[in-house]
Amino acid sequence: MKKLLISMFLVAVPVALLAQTTVKAQSKAARAPASRVEIKTTATQMASGIMAAEAALTPAELAIAQRVYHGKLPCELGAFVTLTADPKSPGYFDVQTKNQKYRMFPVETSTGAIRLEDPQGGAVWLQLANKSMLMNQKLGKRLADECMSPDQAAMAELLIKNPAPSVLDAPVVAATK
């Protein structure tokens, strides 16, 4: 009886090991590497998802975008800058001068000025109450200055007639009774 059990054990162990290696070989075959096309497609989809997440603007940035002046704005020296809102991507703008085009999005500032940026092109659009300007940070120069919408032109006139007090002026003390 002992011999029978030992012989069965000796036969059963190699058969079990053989079955296990067959299962391992089959699972490796099932997990064969994907084709290059499948890998590239997966990578492209992941990259698109990451870019979409990065492109999403915050509510504060979308609120800034609501205050950007659109249209063809005249600038000094007869230049023009055209700002067009992108209908497919809320908050994004196409900013175009005579020979340059930028895709910009709003950035929060501590001063309250409206700032649009194109990090790839190195361009920045600054919009103040009385004028706007387009600058290229990579080149370190202004591309267009004193660009004005009709509202900005009215504010510029108002500031000429009633200038804001300078920070260097003596403070005005209110009279108290």
Side-chain angles (χ1 to χ4, degrees):
M1 183 73 164
K2 263 185 176 180
K3 287 184 180 183
L4 182 62
L5 285 173
I6 291 174
S7 62
M8 286 177 62
F9 181 74
L10 290 175
V11 170
V13 168
V15 169
L17 289 175
L18 181 63
Q20 202 173 26
T21 56
T22 306
V23 169
K24 284 183 181 177
Q26 288 174 351
S27 66
K28 282 185 180 178
R31 288 184 288 149
S35 70
R36 287 180 174 225
V37 172
E38 291 172 349
I39 292 171
K40 186 174 181 179
T41 301
T42 303
T44 303
Q45 290 172 348
M46 289 176 66
S48 296
I50 291 169
M51 289 188 322
E54 289 176 349
L57 299 177
T58 66
E61 291 168 336
L62 289 171
I64 293 168
Q66 295 293 321
R67 300 184 350 236
V68 174
Y69 293 118
H70 303 163
K72 189 173 184 179
L73 304 178
C75 305
E76 71 177 355
L77 304 174
F80 285 93
V81 173
T82 305
L83 278 91
T84 310
D86 186 345
K88 294 180 184 176
S89 301
Y92 281 81
F93 297 89
D94 293 321
V95 179
Q96 188 171 355
T97 62
K98 186 176 183 179
N99 43 355
Q100 288 125 349
K101 187 173 184 179
Y102 302 101
R103 180 164 168 78
M104 298 188 165
F105 59 90
V107 176
E108 290 186 68
T109 64
S110 59
T111 61
I114 294 174
R115 179 182 175 108
L116 303 177
E117 288 186 2
D118 178 357
Q120 291 178 339
V124 175
W125 174 259
L126 285 177
Q127 179 180 304
L128 305 173
N130 61 333
K131 72 174 187 172
S132 298
M133 63 192 86
L134 180 63
M135 298 179 290
N136 189 316
Q137 289 181 322
K138 288 183 178 179
L139 299 176
K141 67 178 190 174
R142 289 186 187 182
L143 302 175
D145 197 6
E146 295 195 27
C147 304
M148 292 186 208
S149 70
D151 291 342
Q152 288 174 310
M155 179 58 80
E157 283 294 319
L158 183 66
L159 287 175
I160 290 171
K161 293 177 184 173
N162 302 316
S166 171
V167 292
L168 302 175
D169 290 343
V172 176
V173 179
T176 58
K177 290 185 180 183

